[in-house]
Amino acid sequence: MLKGEDILNTAQFSVQELNLIMNTAASFEKQVREGSIIRNLEGQVVAVLFFEPSTRTRLSFETAANRLGARVITVAEPASSSVAKGESLADTIRTVDGYADVIVMRHPMKGSAQIAADNAIHPFINAGDGSGHHPTQALLDIYTIRKEKGALGGHTVAFIGDLKYGRTVHSLGYLMTLYKNKMIFVSPKALRMPEEITNDLRGRGAEIEETEDLKEALAVSDIAYVTRIQRERFEDPAEYEKLKGSYIITRALIDQAKKGITILHPLPRVDEISTNVDNYEGAAYFRQAHNGVYVRMALLALVTGRA
Ligand code: NCD
């Protein structure tokens, strides 16, 4: 299962595949924590191409590849690659496909992941395509939910912030639907979840509520998934200025929220979660970031057939 496959979005996964990814990640987590030397990807080359800024996704993919014993080649600065000379994405990918055994890419254009996958023979992993999807983030999000909550289903999950441009919530919505969670989409009107996604999720059986009222949503939610307003996607900077700071999770809000609420955030945070929330025991976002390494180890090992 998953050998040779591309990871493009989260709508592609069956529950069986997700179980395999979660269990493989847990096994790698155990091995890393025990200090084992892991050699699953020895002799393999992983290409990590980032045409957009990143801290966690790129470094955790590189950490994952290194922990598996692979070698890594990286483009972290598009200005240093031939993209800056006007090379097409298709040509870049065809070239890198000749160097590496698996390709991981982040790119500012929605839909770029499909173009890249179409031009690669080796497995391709989407690490974020513009405002499209970010499947590996959603996988580490559910790995985190499983660890923090003990189960993946039966929760009420509030998605908060920029649901229009935030690719992580697009991807997570599909997984939450598969595991029968209720979702409350909390955003300013201008940043609502794209209708095509909401409709698609409802068609897959999702129970979704939409609101602008953060306090009310927090009072009934088991999980709050907070997102950054995606400044880089706005055409009009004034529009961003108007919407930034729309929703801020403060300690006082947590005190009025449902007891035991878990706070997740893909990070980076700007100001949407006050730093005095960080020592609340349900604030799981840094644990969430750490989990990314194990989930990405699982994905690299599974798509290369070396899990
Ligand atoms: C997210 C992304 O790049 O979409 N970051 C991440 O990968 N952890 C979220 C964001 O940038 O706001």
Side-chain angles (χ1 to χ4, degrees), residues 21 24 67 69 75 90 96 108 118 121 123 128 136 166-167 175 212 218 222 226-227 247 251 262 280 287 289 295 304:
I21 295 167
T24 307
R67 288 220 184 268
V75 172
V96 173
D118 290 344
I121 293 164
T136 71
R167 54 195 170 198
L175 298 184
E212 290 177 63
L218 291 179
D222 305 296
V226 188
T227 65
Y247 294 110
R251 191 65 206 218
T262 296
Y280 163 61
R287 297 194 285 277
V295 171
T304 56

Side-chain angles (χ1 to χ4, degrees), residues 57 106 134 137 167-168 228 230 266-268:
T57 307
R106 168 172 292 183
H134 193 350
Q137 177 69 43
R167 54 195 170 198
T168 67
R228 174 179 69 87
Q230 308 280 298
L267 303 178

Side-chain angles (χ1 to χ4, degrees), residues 30-73:
K30 184 163 178 286
Q31 292 174 63
V32 170
R33 289 191 187 276
E34 285 167 352
S36 308
I37 304 295
I38 305 166
R39 300 189 196 279
N40 295 53
L41 256 70
E42 203 160 53
Q44 300 269 298
V45 174
V46 178
V48 178
L49 312 177
F50 274 66
F51 301 113
E52 237 190 15
S54 168
T55 299
R56 275 148 291 270
T57 307
R58 184 170 68 81
L59 292 180
S60 65
F61 258 116
E62 293 193 10
T63 303
N66 280 304
R67 288 220 184 268
L68 289 164
R71 300 291 178 101
V72 179
I73 56 171

Side-chain angles (χ1 to χ4, degrees), residues 226-272:
V226 188
T227 65
R228 174 179 69 87
I229 309 290
Q230 308 280 298
R231 186 181 56 190
E232 66 276 30
R233 312 270 179 239
F234 283 74
E235 273 160 32
D236 177 4
E239 179 75 1
Y240 170 74
E241 289 303 321
K242 216 168 69 195
L243 292 168
K244 75 170 191 200
S246 295
Y247 294 110
I248 297 180
I249 308 286
T250 59
R251 191 65 206 218
L253 264 178
I254 300 271
D255 292 339
Q256 298 166 57
K258 184 166 177 186
K259 203 165 177 296
I261 191 168
T262 296
I263 312 293
L264 300 177
H265 190 309
L267 303 178
R269 132 178 84 182
V270 182
D271 60 2
E272 56 281 353

